[in-house]
Every structure is written in structure tokens, then in C-alpha cells.
Amino acid sequence: MRTEQPQTIRLTDYRQPDYLIDETHLTFELFEDHALVHSRLLMRVNGGQGALPPLVLHGQELTLQSLAFDEQPLAVGDYQVDAHSLTVQPLTKSFELVITTRIEPQNNTALEGLYKSGGMFCTQCEAEGFRKITYYLDRPDVMSRFTTTVMADRGAYPVLLSNGNLIASGEHEGGRHWATWEDPFPKPAYLFALVAGDLYRIDDSFTTMSGREVELRIYVEPENREQCAHAMDSLKRAMRWDEQMYGREYDLDIFMVVAVNDFNMGAMENKGLNIFNSSCVLAHPNTATDMAFQRVESVVAHEYFHNWSGNRVTCRDWFQLSLKEGFTVFRDSEFSADMNSRTVKRIEDVSFLRANQFAEDAGPMAHPVRPESYMEISNFYTLTIYEKGAEVVRMLHTLLGAEGFRKGSDLYFERHDGQAVTCDDFICAMEDTNGVDLTQFKRWYSQAGTPQLEIEGHYDAATSSFHLHCRQSCPPTPGQTQKLPFVIPLRMALLDANGQELPLYLAGQTQSLGTETVLAVTEAEQVFVFEQVSAAPLPSLLRGFSAPVKLAYPYSRDDRVFLAQHVDQRLLKVYRGVLADSSLDPAMVAEILRLPSEAYLIELAQQADVEAIHKVREWVRRELASALADSFRAVFQRLEEAGGSYSASAEAMARRSLRNTVLGYLMLTDSSDTLLACVRQFVEADNMTDRQAALIALVQSPHEQEKQAALEEFAQRWSAYPLVMDQWFSIQASNPLPGGLERVQALMTHPAFNIRNPNKVRALIGAFANHNLVNFHRTDGAGYRFLADRIIELNQLNPQIASRMLTPLTHWRRFDTQRQALMKTELARIMACEALSDDVYEVVSKSLN
Ligand SMILES: [Zn+2]
């Protein structure tokens, strides 16, 4: 149990910084058992008359070696140091502050600030990691020009990197060397980065739209040099796309990406020196699945896009996190849609949002896109900030149109380049260019929860009119009992009996709106009347998921089948038709065949019966498999014949997606031919997508012998590839067959598992708790106890990861009273631990409230 509660930080308490830092000069002396950080800061008071306020610098887990003000060393007593800060009293309005701190990167298991990953030094400073490097004004609204010198042993660390351009380098005695980097663009400390290691470099270049040549470099550990081509291609495509779609070009002479094995997040957009989890850089057909290829493409693009939406224009404070993340996720998802199948990308994003973000919105950590308070900002890198934030930006795009949105973003960049701003500033730029009032729309930023939209349609034959009655509401969330109506963009059309879109005439308007329109639902209750409708139509509502809401419309069963495919009445017939039609996009067909995930079905239920959901879903899969076996076999054969050798094209990925979905169904039919085909695919596949799909099908099958053989073969062959071994862990951890917990416990002792590596934790423990629901939620509570034990262990090592692992336990309200009690018992046990981190304390205490 902790003795004091962490401080709650509130948006309403925001104050401008008392001091600013014009220049930051850093020198790092890196050694095996410590590092010395020398910092020289050119500072001045931020406006203000009268007495100079005390200067309070952030700092954690630092050993202060020396401190000087304008070249005058300070003695103990001239300053105060506590666990979180260093306070001094400036005597002049501008001054130079020189600080030396000592840190121990090799012992930094939290992976925040400067730490070692394998043999290399690297940094992660967002959100508040820089304060673990040196005393500083570690807040995003303090932007400074950085010059960084890195010194280290040349043999062990031949590559020395930091932000910006390399301006000097040289040798020191004793086999040491140094390099100095200068970043001309002022930036907050969270965008600072440093890397020192023995890395292999892949070079390329890009010519910007104004004709400037930019050097592109990807740095990886030498054994991974063959796995970078896709990341480099993705980077160049992203650079071109941002020029074409937003008119934004890159601004430094060099852009670097470094892959790191131990990393809390996916990747980090440090100015000019992006640092990536290796899982988001490395991709080779032999070792990475198509999904991994797509993830690399989107993460590389995401971090690159931040150069404008995040770095050139950054956040004033961390409550505005979605300003950069929501906008950038929207940008990267549009990029991926343009590179691949737009429809499939949208379906994937929406399924993910509905299963996971809606669950967050309904749980104890529910918060608005712009939160009002936090204890530990690391806990707010959430699906709400990222995914729902992106949906909010998408709604603006829908309401303003592509052109209006682009003009608004141009004004936003022009007006705020080099500034740290707020979500309101973003909206204001959109309002000013488009001449609209978005006051009510801004409730999406301040109100938490998933709005419900209930719609009923009534056809009046006498007047040939169709009435759409819309009613919106939003359930209470922690700290917010009453919600005001949102602006909900409702993209819709009316279909006639043949599935044709009808021209839309809204009552009182003489002009037709065309055959598809976006209605703005702004009231708690609102009626839209369409005229000149000759027969009762079928409305097609919330097209493209035009708002992140739960839609309720009393469609009949026939209506739904009709909406999915304008041909037939019964699901099986629809599936059969879809499977027989080789002209359809195979990726789309695979999406149609995939049943909703258990997580999504649990999210839909008021109180979820885990076993029933699992059993019914499995039963439906088996029914489909046996009823459609002939169609599945035909498709499998057709795609096998069309196959040919591996290609990374979108078309080839789509074919693999369908083929492997079909294989999953066929393996439920107990046919020895299919088992043989599956084993053959596992052995002969020339790519990881097919090999892994076959492995999953075998692992989830009752064929013990084939299963064990495949698992052993796989582990032997790929033991030197940590990311492939992550997949191996994850496939077994997600296996819903009985005995899941015991299998996971046994894997914890596998030599390839290491609890200090976040990717391993996610692959084994995370996959079990999030994707193996029937085993995790065992009625004896052993799954919960296992997760709580791991969280207690991780709390000491890596609080950020510990806190993220808590999510499944926070959803206890969804389950029956017996499970609720067991889950709460584990939460209480975590709460009672000594030395609980702020990260874990915040989530556990809010969950138990
Ligand atoms: Zn981001």
C-alpha cells in the first residue's frame, strides 16, 4: 500500500511556464556503469513584471553532480532538490544554467529516459522521460533549440546519433569518440532522442517536391539488415503522400529511423530521429505476416506524418495529446486506405474501435478525447485519445468536405508553425477557413462515452414521405453524469426494393441532395422528412461508420441480409453466393466470412457470459464450415491454383487473407484431406503469412501429434528471430482449447521469454488475457490471479507496461457476480502492494471505485 496518493493534474490548473529555454546544449558521456549528462541552458523569464519567481525544474531518479548559475557554482543550500524537482532562485531576467547529473541507463528497466536495449543506448522521452535524464522544464510548451554531443567508446558504439544534422565529430584518447548534432527547429524535450550503438545502416534518398535532396537512413542490428526494404519503401511513399495530400514536405537534410528491441510503445516521432520498436520496422516475407507488413507501413507513415502534426505544431500540454495523435492516426489511416483496399481498412478500423475503444468508454478509465485530469499521463495513451480522436477528426473531414478540411489544415499549420497549441486552436482554424461554428461539435472533445443513436423510419404513403426519427443519448461516465447532444454526422441513403439509391429531397428543400447525403443530428430528438418517395424505402444508415456511435435501427432480419448483399434472404445463401463470385475483392470476402470477435460480442452484452459467447460462436463457425464445405473447398482450390510464388502486392495479400480464412473453416470439418493440406501449407509455404495461418489452424485443432511437431519445428527454425518467436508465443497463448493457463505458465519458462522485454510480455501475457477469453475467465479465478501476479512483478520493473496489462481486469463490471468478485479480489491485492507505481495506482484505484 502506498502512503500518499499521487497528485492529480488538472487541465483547469494550466499556467504558462514562468521561464523559457532558448538554447539547450547537452553533452553525454556514456559508460558501461553510468552516464554523465552535462547540460547548459540559456534561459529567460517568460514575460512578467516585478519579482522573479523561483525556477522549478523537473527531475526524477537523478544524482546531481554540480550546478552553476552564470558561471557561479551553487553550494548546497543555494537550491532545493526533492524526488521530483530542483528549485533555484534566479537573480536576473536571463541567465545561463549549467547542470551535471549522473544516471544509470543500464539499470533503467522502465524504458523511460535514457536506457540500454541489448548493446545499445537509446531514449524514450515522451511523455515525461526527459526528466530522468537531466533537470529541465519538461513540458511540451517549452520549446528550445538543441545541440547534442554524444561521447562513447568507439569499438562498442561506432554509431552516435541525435536529432537534427551532424555538425562535427572526432576522436578522444582511450578509444573514445564523439559526435555533435544540431537541430535547428525548436522542440519540446519529449522529442529529444539519442542513440549509441553498433548498428548497420541502410541508405536511400528522397527528393522533396521543392527539389531538396533528403538522406534517408534506417539503422538496425546487423543481423536484421535484410528486413528493412519494406520500411524504407513505406517511408518514401508516406513522404510523397504527405506532399500530395497536405502540401507538407520534410524540413531537415536527413531523416533517420532506428529499430530497438526493448520498447514500451510502437514507435516515437523524435525530430529527425525516429526510434521504433523493431516489430514496427522489420518485415521480410520469410519472417513477417501480411498484417505485420501493413503495420510497418502504417507506423512508419504515422511517425513521419508527426513531423508536421506533432513536431512543427505540438501540444501545449498533455491534455491536448489527441491534437497530435487523433489527427495523425486519421492521416495514417487515410494513407493506408490509399495504399491498400479502402473498404477493408475501414472495416478493420471500425471493428477494432467497436470491440476495444467502446469497451474503454464503458469502463472505469473512460475519459474524453481531451481529458480533464490525470495522475500519470502514460495512462492516457489510450484508444480514446488515438482511435476515437481520429474518428473526431474524420467527422470534421466528413462535415467540411475534403477541400474544406484541407484548407482548414493549411491555416492550422500556417498559423501555428513552431508553436505549442490546443485542440481548440485546431478547431478554430477549421471554423475560420470554412465560416462555420463548431462550438457544439467540440463536445466530442469534452464529453466521454459512446453516444447511442436510435433511429426509426416511418413511411407515409398518402404524402409519399419518409420520416427518420433520430434520438441520441450518451450513458454516464466517471465524473460526467449529464451529457449534452453531440453533432453526429449521419451519412445515409434510401434504397428501393431493387437496392437502387433514391434521389433525396429533404422537406422544404427544392434541390435534390443527390442519392447519398450527410445529415447533422444535433438535437436529442430530431426528425428528418424526405419527400417524393414513391414506396417504402430501406434506409442505409451511418454509411462508412460516419460517427463513432452505437446505432440502433429496428431492421428486420431480412433487411439486414438485404443490406449486406442485395440478392438473397438467408445467410448461407449469401455466403455461398459471395464465395462463388470470383470477381469480388478476396480481402472483402474474407472480411464478410469472419465472425465478430468474442471481445466485440462481450462489449455488446450488458452482462457477458464468456462461455456461452465462446460456445455459440464456435458452434456457428462449425455450422458454417459443414454447410459450406463444398464452397470452401472450391475457393481453396481456386486460390491455390491461382497462387504462384509470393508477392507483397495488395492483390496477393487479399488472396492469402481469403485462402487462410477458408482454411480455418475447413479445418473445423474433420477431413483428413484438409489436415494434410494444412500440414503441407505449414511445411511448404514460401512466406510467414501462410505458414502462420497453418500453424494457428493446427494449434487450435485436436490433432496433437501434428500440432506438437509443427510447434517444435517452428521454434527450432526461428529461435534466432525474436519477432517470429513473439508470434509463436502469441499463437499458443491465444489458443482457446482447455488448459490455456497451464500452457502459458509453461511458456513463461521458455528460454526465448523475458519479462523485461515489452514485446514478449504483450505476446504471451497480453495475448492470453486479451484474446483467450474463455481460458482467462476460468471460473476458479486462476487466470485473474496469474495476470495480477505478473502485474505485481512488472510494477517494479516497468510501470507503464504493468499498467497497460491491467485493462482486462478493469472491465470486471461486464461479468457475472462470481467473476466480478474474483476480479475485484485481484485488483485489491494489487492495490495492497508496496511501492505501487503512480501508473498502476491510478488505474487500480479508479477501477475499484
Ligand atoms: Zn503518434
Side-chain angles (χ1 to χ4, degrees):
M1 188 72 153
R2 44 187 304 142
T3 45
E4 55 172 329
Q5 204 176 312
Q7 204 191 341
T8 296
I9 318 283
R10 286 173 215 288
L11 171 59
T12 49
D13 291 342
Y14 173 82
R15 286 200 312 127
Q16 289 220 342
D18 290 332
Y19 290 90
L20 299 174
I21 309 176
D22 291 321
E23 290 180 34
T24 300
H25 299 270
L26 300 170
T27 300
F28 289 81
E29 294 186 67
L30 304 178
F31 301 98
E32 291 311 304
D33 59 351
H34 73 286
L36 294 175
V37 184
H38 310 283
S39 135
R40 185 164 65 86
L41 308 176
L42 303 188
M43 301 190 65
R44 65 189 153 89
V45 72
N46 184 18
Q49 302 292 316
L52 291 170
L55 169 61
V56 184
L57 299 169
H58 303 107
Q60 277 176 27
E61 295 161 35
L62 302 171
T63 307
L64 181 62
Q65 303 274 70
S66 67
L67 178 63
F69 240 100
D70 285 329
E71 298 184 354
Q72 296 295 312
L74 295 195
V76 178
D78 294 343
Y79 57 86
Q80 293 89 50
V81 175
D82 64 24
H84 301 282
S85 63
L86 165 68
T87 306
V88 279
Q89 181 57 57
L91 302 171
T92 51
K93 286 190 168 185
S94 63
F95 50 88
E96 181 191 81
L97 191 61
V98 176
I99 307 168
T100 295
T101 52
R102 184 185 194 279
I103 52 179
E104 296 187 348
Q106 77 282 2
N107 294 330
N108 181 349
T109 58
L111 315 184
E112 296 172 328
L114 178 64
Y115 64 94
K116 283 199 87 173
S117 169
M120 86 170 99
F121 287 92
C122 61
T123 52
Q124 172 55 38
C125 293
E126 187 178 1
E128 298 182 332
F130 195 78
R131 63 188 61 186
K132 294 181 167 183
I133 293 174
T134 182
Y135 289 102
Y136 201 78
L137 294 176
D138 186 8
R139 44 187 288 171
D141 57 354
V142 172
M143 300 173 84
S144 177
R145 256 179 282 275
F146 281 67
T147 308
T148 305
T149 300
V150 188
M151 302 174 173
D153 181 73
R154 179 185 268 287
Y157 311 100
V159 175
L160 306 175
L161 309 175
S162 189
N163 315 84
N165 300 312
L166 180 70
I167 55 167
S169 61
E171 303 292 325
H172 274 310
E173 62 272 26
R176 292 175 69 79
H177 70 145
W178 60 274
T180 300
W181 293 80
E182 184 183 67
D183 183 357
F185 294 96
K187 65 169 175 287
Y190 83 86
L191 290 172
F192 171 80
L194 174 157
V195 169
D198 184 1
L199 298 166
Y200 183 84
R201 178 173 124 196
I202 292 104
D203 285 295
D204 209 324
S205 68
F206 180 84
T207 309
T208 69
M209 61 183 179
S210 70
R212 277 189 322 102
E213 200 68 17
V214 179
E215 269 186 65
L216 307 178
R217 297 177 182 174
I218 298 180
Y219 290 91
V220 291
E221 282 165 307
E223 65 267 26
N224 294 328
R225 69 177 75 174
E226 305 298 334
Q227 300 182 54
C228 302
H230 179 62
M232 189 65 95
D233 282 349
S234 302
L235 174 60
K236 288 191 282 187
R237 282 199 299 273
M239 293 177 88
R240 189 63 73 213
W241 188 89
D242 211 22
E243 294 184 344
Q244 285 164 353
M245 297 304 291
Y246 285 89
R248 302 286 129 197
E249 69 173 24
Y250 187 62
D251 49 10
L252 288 164
D253 301 335
I254 174 170
F255 185 83
M256 297 175 281
V257 169
V258 180
V260 173
N261 287 332
D262 303 285
F263 206 69
N264 282 347
M265 313 202 203
M268 178 62 210
E269 71 261 23
N270 315 301
K271 182 78 187 187
L273 177 56
N274 286 192
I275 298 183
F276 273 59
N277 188 319
S278 51
S279 70
C280 299
V281 179
L282 305 180
H284 187 280
N286 274 340
T287 52
T289 60
D290 292 341
M291 232 163 81
F293 267 71
Q294 284 172 351
R295 180 164 156 78
V296 167
E297 179 183 70
S298 83
V299 178
V300 166
H302 178 98
E303 305 310 329
Y304 173 74
F305 295 155
H306 268 316
N307 192 53
W308 277 95
S309 50
N311 299 2
R312 290 285 287 256
V313 183
T314 191
C315 304
R316 185 192 73 175
D317 53 72
W318 291 121
F319 298 102
Q320 320 293 332
L321 182 56
S322 196
L323 173 76
K324 75 177 178 78
E325 294 307 340
F327 188 19
T328 306
V329 170
F330 171 70
R331 275 147 61 71
D332 84 56
S333 70
E334 283 296 289
F335 168 74
S336 295
D338 283 346
M339 298 299 123
N340 304 288
S341 159
R342 176 164 286 271
T343 313
V344 171
K345 169 71 178 154
R346 189 65 188 139
I347 292 174
E348 286 168 358
D349 286 353
V350 171
S351 314
F352 181 74
L353 184 91
R354 294 206 301 193
N356 301 287
Q357 195 279 326
F358 281 15
E360 186 169 280
D361 253 347
M365 286 295 286
H367 57 276
V369 168
R370 183 186 52 221
E372 249 122 56
S373 67
Y374 59 79
M375 291 178 192
E376 172 51 62
I377 185 58
S378 297
N379 285 329
F380 285 80
Y381 284 72
T382 59
L383 299 170
T384 301
I385 301 291
Y386 280 68
E387 315 303 327
K388 186 175 181 182
E391 292 300 322
V392 172
V393 174
R394 181 176 297 278
M395 286 190 284
L396 279 174
H397 188 272
T398 301
L399 291 167
L400 302 174
E403 205 179 318
F405 183 85
R406 165 69 197 267
K407 281 191 191 144
S409 74
D410 283 352
L411 180 65
Y412 167 71
F413 289 130
E414 185 186 315
R415 207 182 248 177
H416 299 297
D417 191 6
Q419 296 177 11
V421 302
T422 63
C423 299
D424 284 344
D425 292 321
F426 180 75
I427 295 291
C428 186
M430 292 290 164
E431 286 178 317
D432 291 355
T433 27
N434 290 283
V436 291
D437 179 355
L438 295 168
T439 311
Q440 187 186 348
F441 182 85
K442 287 202 280 190
R443 287 175 191 158
W444 284 107
Y445 286 95
S446 57
Q447 298 189 143
T450 306
Q452 318 244 3
L453 184 59
E454 287 166 63
I455 302 184
E456 280 174 58
H458 297 289
Y459 181 66
D460 181 3
T463 57
S464 296
S465 62
F466 183 70
H467 297 233
L468 263 190
H469 295 259
C470 303
R471 200 164 45 238
Q472 61 160 304
S473 61
C474 184
T477 45
Q480 293 186 340
T481 45
Q482 299 292 322
K483 311 287 169 79
L484 296 167
F486 291 84
V487 176
I488 299 178
L490 179 67
R491 190 182 291 280
M492 54 80 64
L494 298 179
L495 307 179
D496 70 13
N498 300 316
Q500 295 296 311
E501 292 178 352
L502 298 165
L504 302 171
Y505 296 93
L506 213 47
Q509 293 182 7
T510 46
Q511 285 273 327
S512 164
L513 299 168
T515 56
E516 182 186 87
T517 194
V518 178
L519 303 172
V521 181
T522 56
E523 316 276 332
E525 286 201 55
Q526 204 166 351
V527 183
F528 298 91
V529 179
F530 294 91
E531 294 174 335
Q532 305 180 43
V533 185
S534 55
L538 180 66
S540 166
L541 301 169
L542 206 69
R543 290 185 145 190
F545 199 64
S546 58
V549 301
K550 285 187 180 173
L551 174 69
Y553 182 88
Y555 286 114
S556 71
R557 186 195 165 88
D558 286 356
D559 288 344
R560 278 179 197 264
V561 173
F562 178 88
L563 281 176
Q565 171 84 356
H566 315 295
V567 285
D568 226 320
Q569 307 276 317
R570 318 289 306 180
L571 190 63
L572 284 178
K573 267 196 186 167
V574 171
Y575 275 8
R576 218 169 261 134
V578 164
L579 284 162
D581 187 347
S582 59
S583 70
L584 296 174
D585 172 7
M588 190 64 217
V589 176
E591 258 332 309
I592 293 171
L593 295 175
R594 219 162 279 151
L595 297 183
S597 67
E598 289 180 17
Y600 175 62
L601 296 171
I602 285 176
E603 209 292 309
L604 284 183
Q606 273 304 326
Q607 193 173 76
D609 184 336
V610 188
E611 274 112 15
I613 285 174
H614 176 70
K615 278 192 186 133
V616 170
R617 188 176 177 280
E618 284 305 301
W619 178 80
V620 172
R621 287 184 68 215
R622 274 172 205 287
E623 286 294 298
L624 288 173
S626 71
L628 299 170
D630 291 344
S631 302
F632 283 138
R633 261 185 225 113
V635 170
F636 193 73
Q637 207 139 40
R638 187 174 83 215
L639 292 167
E640 197 159 42
E641 281 156 15
S645 63
Y646 174 85
S647 149
S649 68
E651 296 75 36
M653 286 189 187
R655 279 199 302 272
R656 282 192 288 275
S657 167
L658 177 56
R659 203 179 104 124
N660 290 323
T661 305
V662 165
L663 175 66
Y665 276 108
L666 284 174
M667 279 292 280
L668 299 172
T669 59
D670 255 349
S671 119
S672 54
D673 286 358
T674 306
L675 178 60
L676 275 177
C678 188
V679 170
R680 194 169 59 236
Q681 174 167 328
F682 175 75
V683 174
E684 292 175 6
D686 63 353
N687 65 84
M688 186 50 85
T689 306
D690 289 341
R691 187 176 299 116
Q692 187 178 304
L695 182 61
I696 292 171
L698 287 172
V699 164
Q700 300 190 4
S701 80
H703 309 290
E704 277 309 317
Q705 205 182 333
E706 287 81 358
K707 175 190 312 196
Q708 287 313 326
L711 281 170
E712 273 161 37
E713 214 258 27
F714 193 96
Q716 250 168 33
R717 181 160 173 197
W718 303 106
S719 63
Y721 294 80
L723 296 175
V724 183
M725 289 307 288
D726 289 348
Q727 298 171 25
W728 184 79
F729 281 120
S730 177
I731 287 168
Q732 296 178 80
S734 313
N735 175 10
L737 294 178
L741 177 61
E742 290 72 15
R743 288 192 297 273
V744 169
Q745 280 168 327
L747 286 168
M748 295 277 301
T749 62
H750 191 278
F753 183 79
N754 176 2
I755 200 162
R756 292 183 183 224
N757 176 265
N759 287 354
K760 291 282 177 288
V761 172
R762 282 185 279 255
L764 187 55
I765 304 164
F768 173 68
N770 291 292
H771 303 303
N772 195 347
L773 302 178
V774 70
N775 277 301
F776 173 64
H777 290 283
R778 303 168 30 152
T779 44
D780 65 356
Y784 308 147
R785 206 148 50 239
F786 167 77
L787 181 63
D789 285 339
R790 301 293 80 73
I791 289 166
I792 290 166
E793 194 178 350
L794 282 162
N795 173 63
Q796 303 277 349
L797 293 168
N798 188 329
Q800 264 187 43
I801 297 297
S803 169
R804 275 191 214 149
M805 285 296 126
L806 271 165
T807 307
L809 288 174
T810 66
H811 294 154
W812 57 267
R813 280 187 181 81
R814 277 267 175 248
F815 302 95
D816 56 82
T817 47
Q818 190 195 343
R819 286 193 173 88
Q820 287 196 3
L822 291 165
M823 292 169 96
K824 281 198 287 187
T825 302
E826 296 307 322
L827 286 167
R829 189 158 69 84
I830 297 169
M831 188 71 169
C833 281
E834 274 178 48
L836 210 55
S837 62
D838 290 0
D839 307 61
V840 174
Y841 175 85
E842 176 169 32
V843 177
V844 177
S845 60
K846 287 180 177 174
S847 303
L848 284 170
N849 260 338

